[in-house]
Every structure is written in C-alpha cells, then in structure tokens.
Amino acid sequence: MSLPFINESIGLPSLHMPYIGLSEILDILILCALIYYILRWIRHTHAWALLKGIVMVVLVALVAYLFDLVTVIWMVQNAFAMGLIALVILFQPELRKALEQLGRGVGLSGLSGFQGLKLDHKGGIAAQSLGDIVSAVTSMASKRTGALICLERDVTLADIAQTGVLIDAIVSKPLIMNVFVDKAPLHDGAMIIRRGRIVSAACILPLTSEEVDQELGTRHRAAIGVSEISDAIVIVASEETGAISVALKGKLNRNLSEKALTDLLNENAVEEPKRRLMPWKNGKA
C-alpha cells in the first residue's frame, strides 16, 4: 500500500566510501607534516602571539556570520581584503629567516634552533646552574663589573644568539666572570644561556623603544628590549652603580639583593622537577 503524498520517484542518495589510494594517503601525510613543522616553528618565534591574534579575529568573524552581525561582517570583510599583504608584513622577519635557513640547507629540523646545537625547550634551568649565575652576578656587581645575561625560556633567542660568538659550554661561575672581565674580547654584549649551557656571548640585543629613566644605560635598555619580544629573563649588573636588575615581560626590577635575585629566578626560571616530567619514576601512572 502506497501513500498518495509520497513521490515514489524520489530516492535516497546512495552512500559509498570514497576511494583512498596510495597517492591520497601520501598527499594527506605530506600536508600533515607541513602543518606540524610550520606550527612547531611558529610556536617558538615571535609570530606565535600574532598567530593567536589572527585566530581570535577568525573566531569573531564566525560569530558575526552566525548571528548576522552586519557591521562586524562588513569590518571583517574589509580587513580580510588586505589580509594576505598584512600577514606577509607581520611575519616578514620569521619568513625571511626560514627562507634563509632553507637556502643554506638547514631544513625543517633547523628552523627553531641555533646552528650546531640541539634546541630543547623546557622553559627552565637547573637549580645548580642558577646558583652559579646568581653567585657570578653578585660577585661582578660588587666589583662594578658590567654584565648582561639572558636566560632563554620558551621563546627561542636563536636569532640573537647568532649575532654573537658561539661558546656552547656548561654554565659555571668562573666562565661567566671571565667572559665579562673588563677589556675582555666578549665582555661587550649579552650572554645567552639555554638551560644549563652558555650558548653564546657578545650578542647584540634590540633596545626598547619605550621611555626609561635617563640614568639607565644601554645594558638596561637592551635588557628591557629583549624582554618585550620574548619571555626571557634578563639579568643586568650595572658597571656604574653595582646594582643588580632583572628585566621580565618588559618590566625592569631594579636594585635586587642576592636573596631577591635568587627568589625571582627560582620562581620564574627553575627547571621543573623530574618527578613532574616523568611521574612513572615515582611509581605513579
């Protein structure tokens, strides 16, 4: 028995699995690999914050289209009209660096590291290394020896490290103090420390464009500048006053005592305990 209001000529579409061959699988794998390496590279560059901002703009555009927000849609459409050019301008330093490294044959594995060094981002420095750093800085400050030390965290300072002289040595108080001895070849510039190793010295840092106290010298301006474009902790020992300062997130903490410096580094730069990174060592799943 058929119902009169049903058109028998209308049928359901046939469902079938699309054919996936070797070329399609290879295409997907290559695309996934490219996306993974691009995100891995961007994650440790200054472009990461810009990328998150772009994602927020895209989310706002989706909400505007869902709720038919005419004014917002108009603004987003005009913004995306120049989006490609804007992206090229915003990401120009990172794109240029990536192309230069590819041109030198470094490859994708070298996009986020200093040449010849393994880049390991864990965001921390061993407590023993921090002790040597604090002791060296305190000693240099008491002798009015100027010093500028950058402790790298999650955002790589590879580009800045390449402006100096490669050292690649374990952190130690004597080595740090020898580098910053007055008239020494490497004393004029910044030292880059990544976890427990001194990467390079005599590095050139970008100066802050913000107004600072006139009494602050080039070291302090450079410390603030690099802390504005990265999450690095930058320690300054003043040659003029013997004071110790730390730049973090664009702010300068001045006139720190040895205890205050130690507490600040323990709070912001200490390495995560191994029991947190490898809980199974303590018998926990």
Side-chain angles (χ1 to χ4, degrees):
M1 177 179 176
S2 63
L3 300 176
F5 53 84
I6 294 181
N7 189 345
E8 295 181 355
S9 64
I10 299 177
L12 294 174
S14 59
L15 301 176
H16 62 279
M17 284 290 294
Y19 173 76
I20 299 179
L22 181 61
S23 61
E24 285 77 14
I25 295 175
L26 195 60
D27 195 15
I28 294 172
L29 291 177
I30 292 174
L31 182 60
C32 291
L34 285 175
I35 294 174
Y36 168 74
Y37 280 112
I38 289 173
L39 290 177
R40 178 183 173 186
W41 164 59
I42 292 178
R43 174 64 181 85
H44 297 297
T45 64
H46 309 145
W48 182 249
L50 297 176
L51 181 62
K52 291 190 289 187
I54 293 172
V55 171
M56 290 299 298
V57 172
V58 172
L59 292 177
V60 170
L62 291 176
V63 173
Y65 278 106
L66 287 175
F67 292 95
D68 196 21
L69 306 178
V70 179
T71 305
V72 178
I73 292 174
W74 177 84
M75 293 177 62
V76 171
Q77 286 176 341
N78 284 274
F80 276 115
M82 300 295 292
L84 183 59
I85 298 177
L87 284 177
V88 173
I89 294 173
L90 291 173
F91 290 95
Q92 185 267 338
E94 285 76 16
L95 291 173
R96 183 180 64 183
K97 185 63 180 178
L99 291 175
E100 287 176 354
Q101 290 180 331
L102 286 174
R104 289 194 295 263
V106 175
L108 289 172
S109 62
L111 286 177
S112 60
F114 187 70
Q115 290 181 352
L117 295 178
K118 180 181 179 182
L119 180 59
D120 188 8
H121 286 285
K122 296 296 183 183
I125 297 178
Q128 181 178 355
S129 299
L130 288 178
D132 286 337
I133 294 170
V134 171
S135 181
V137 170
T138 304
S139 179
M140 288 187 292
S142 65
K143 299 175 183 177
R144 300 292 179 90
T145 300
L148 182 57
I149 302 175
C150 299
L151 307 183
E152 182 185 273
R153 295 201 291 174
D154 289 331
V155 177
T156 179
L157 300 177
D159 291 347
I160 295 175
Q162 289 180 351
T163 65
V165 178
L166 174 65
I167 294 180
D168 190 21
I170 297 174
V171 170
S172 67
K173 177 181 176 180
L175 180 55
I176 295 174
M177 295 186 67
N178 282 333
V179 167
F180 289 108
V181 169
D182 190 25
K183 308 302 181 183
L186 303 180
H187 88 282
D188 191 13
M191 174 184 289
I192 307 296
I193 294 180
R194 176 180 300 141
R195 304 200 70 189
R197 302 191 72 84
I198 300 174
V199 178
S200 58
C203 299
I204 301 173
L205 303 184
L207 301 181
T208 180
S209 58
E210 300 293 331
E211 292 186 5
V212 297
D213 292 344
Q214 294 296 326
E215 62 187 52
L216 296 178
T218 304
R219 283 193 181 93
H220 294 86
R221 296 172 185 269
I224 298 173
V226 74
S227 71
E228 290 174 340
I229 62 173
S230 71
D231 61 349
I233 301 173
V234 191
I235 308 172
V236 183
S238 175
E239 187 175 358
E240 290 76 18
T241 64
I244 299 174
S245 304
V246 172
L248 180 62
K249 298 179 181 179
K251 303 296 182 181
L252 188 66
N253 303 281
R254 303 172 62 181
N255 301 319
L256 298 178
S257 64
E258 182 176 1
K259 182 180 184 305
L261 176 61
T262 302
D263 292 342
L264 189 150
L265 295 182
N266 283 332
E267 181 180 354
N268 295 280
V270 71
E271 186 178 42
E272 285 293 324
K274 292 184 178 181
R275 58 182 176 82
R276 295 184 183 177
L277 298 177
M278 298 180 291
W280 56 86
K281 294 293 184 180
N282 292 338
K284 298 180 181 179

